[in-house]
Amino acid sequence: MIMAVEGVINSDSNNLESPYGDSIYLSLRHQPKSKAAISSVNLIAADITARARTLSNHKEIVGAIVADLLRGQSLFPPQPCYRAMNNASFTGFHHGYKPFVAVRNGLVGKGYLRFVRGQQPFDDIPGKVSRFHSTDKLILLLSAAGITPASFSEHFGVRTDIPLVHNSVRLKTASTRGSWPKIHGKPMTVKPSAEVVQLEEEVHQINEFLRQQNFDGMLFDGLFRSFNEGDQRGFDWNKGGRLYAVGGGFQAIDKYKERPLIRINGEATVEVDICASHLTIFHALMKTPLPGSGDPYSTGEIGRNGVKLFCAITLGSGKIPSQWSPNAREDYLKDYNKRVRNGLPLSGETGDLPKDYPFRQVREIAIRHIPLLKSVEGSGITWADFQFLESQILIKSINNLITEGIPTLPLHDSLISRQSDSERVSQVIIRNFKDRMGERCYTKIK
């Protein structure tokens, strides 16, 4: 057990909604590159390290922590860092758990770092990861050497001698559904195999291409691919498989306010979205034409948001629901409040899901317009199958576009691209969907 030291706090009251809050990932992948940064890191390392033989190793870890803290301070508003603090999160990593804890405690003890210990989830209370805050002492020491948050990139750089992401292929057990809140799957050990090596290499190649691009309005700490239901019979790396941004990254920022500000290589971006992705995949698997002409959610009888939500719940749970769940009502209200804050159109909605979209009315309209929904239960096709097929289509599209020098960022059922590339991205997605599913999909550029 790690002993508490002065400055280590047991909990944090900020942002109950997210385990990350307003913080960035402590990636530990940067190193000092300027003379001033190297000298400052050496000074701090010597201050916290009593034993000469451990100084060399500690310098590297100190440099990585200081770099991430300064990177967080370079953002507006400034943000602390977060990282899971358990032994398993350092398995296979280039810094060991025990040396890292020793450096962390040394930085706290000397006043360079404030550490806020995370907490495990309990009942329906979400957990929080540990946070790392820079102190005035650290910022003043760096400033005296001419190092400021604004000049971060002049003094620190990303290491190129290590993969951008370790454990780039991850695996979880099946989630427990049928109760609220849903109990998410737990991490599993990924056993080495030829298939795992191939999957890891594919993610590594995507990360290596993307790390060479310039991003504004977001941080890029790499992607990893996460598979699900690894404890279920018949699992063969064919469940889930979406690409996720390390630390949430661009996928976790506000989709209304912040994501539209992302720029790739100085150019404004758009999202190229597969319309009704899972619903289109389901119809293709069942060899049934998708109703409508690209937007099956627009029925002309009730707002499309209600029909879209009903279809998402049906496909996600594997059966037609009997009512709006507490989770659905909560998520609907959260999204409504975000639209209100950003001054977006509300289409007569109030944030009250049962009031805006009476469940029985939505169910009747949705099933009448999309009758194949009645076949979801008993089909043997689950959300994990939809996600896998979708991920295969998008990953192939990302790789195809890389050969053309076109960078894209995965957003589950869409790709973020530069505006000038959007038509080409759409063409590649449509082609790969057709090749994989045997049916055409529709895309929307937004």
Side-chain angles (χ1 to χ4, degrees), residues 388-408:
F388 175 71
L389 292 168
E390 179 184 80
S391 71
Q392 292 290 87
I393 292 164
L394 290 182
I395 289 173
K396 185 175 181 181
S397 298
I398 291 170
N399 284 323
N400 290 160
L401 291 162
I402 285 176
T403 64
E404 300 179 28
I406 298 175
T408 57

Side-chain angles (χ1 to χ4, degrees), residues 84-226:
M85 281 306 303
N86 55 62
N87 207 336
S89 68
F90 286 82
T91 301
F93 198 56
H94 54 280
H95 295 311
Y97 174 73
K98 290 183 177 180
F100 176 82
V101 170
V103 170
R104 181 204 69 187
N105 289 350
L107 291 171
V108 170
K110 290 292 185 175
Y112 298 109
L113 171 69
R114 184 169 69 90
F115 176 64
V116 181
R117 193 182 301 282
Q119 63 185 36
Q120 294 293 325
F122 178 75
D123 289 340
D124 59 347
I125 301 174
K128 297 177 187 175
V129 293
S130 298
R131 287 181 175 80
F132 300 73
H133 299 256
S134 60
T135 63
D136 290 343
K137 179 177 180 178
L138 174 64
I139 298 303
L140 287 172
L141 183 148
L142 295 174
S143 296
I147 304 169
T148 65
S151 64
F152 164 78
S153 59
E154 298 174 22
H155 299 281
F156 294 89
V158 178
R159 292 178 58 175
T160 58
D161 60 325
I162 55 175
L164 189 59
V165 179
H166 88 294
N167 297 337
S168 58
V169 172
R170 305 179 190 181
L171 182 61
K172 290 183 177 182
T173 63
S175 301
T176 302
R177 295 174 179 264
S179 61
W180 187 84
K182 178 182 75 174
I183 300 174
H184 294 281
K186 297 180 179 180
M188 297 177 63
T189 299
V190 176
K191 297 179 180 179
S193 70
E195 186 168 9
V196 169
V197 170
Q198 183 177 352
L199 291 169
E200 289 176 335
E201 180 59 25
E202 186 171 52
V203 178
H204 174 68
Q205 289 177 359
I206 294 172
N207 280 330
E208 285 304 301
F209 177 76
L210 291 176
R211 80 190 298 178
Q212 298 172 38
Q213 315 305 314
N214 294 315
F215 298 104
D216 295 310
M218 57 166 277
L219 295 176
F220 182 73
D221 287 315
L223 304 169
F224 65 91
R225 195 171 184 189
S226 182

Side-chain angles (χ1 to χ4, degrees), residues 308-430:
K308 180 180 179 180
L309 181 57
F310 179 86
C311 290
I313 294 172
T314 300
L315 294 171
S317 64
K319 61 181 180 180
I320 291 175
S322 58
Q323 61 183 349
W324 294 126
S325 68
N327 193 41
R329 296 198 297 268
E330 181 180 319
D331 288 345
Y332 178 80
L333 178 59
K334 286 180 181 178
D335 186 71
Y336 170 84
N337 288 333
K338 285 183 179 179
R339 285 184 284 148
V340 169
R341 287 196 299 269
N342 289 284
L344 298 173
L346 302 176
S347 305
E349 296 173 345
T350 67
D352 185 334
L353 180 57
K355 179 180 178 180
D356 294 345
Y357 297 104
F359 180 79
R360 290 187 179 183
Q361 183 183 7
V362 172
R363 180 176 60 184
E364 189 276 325
I365 292 172
I367 291 175
R368 177 156 43 83
H369 281 267
I370 313 172
L372 195 63
L373 289 173
K374 294 183 292 185
S375 301
V376 171
E377 189 169 5
S379 68
I381 304 170
T382 71
W383 65 271
D385 299 310
F386 296 135
Q387 285 194 8
F388 175 71
L389 292 168
E390 179 184 80
S391 71
Q392 292 290 87
I393 292 164
L394 290 182
I395 289 173
K396 185 175 181 181
S397 298
I398 291 170
N399 284 323
N400 290 160
L401 291 162
I402 285 176
T403 64
E404 300 179 28
I406 298 175
T408 57
L409 296 167
L411 199 59
H412 305 329
D413 62 353
S414 63
L415 295 178
I416 298 174
S417 77
R418 295 175 295 194
Q419 286 183 345
S420 60
D421 295 325
S422 59
E423 290 296 338
R424 179 56 183 158
V425 173
S426 177
Q427 293 170 1
V428 172
I429 291 175
I430 290 172

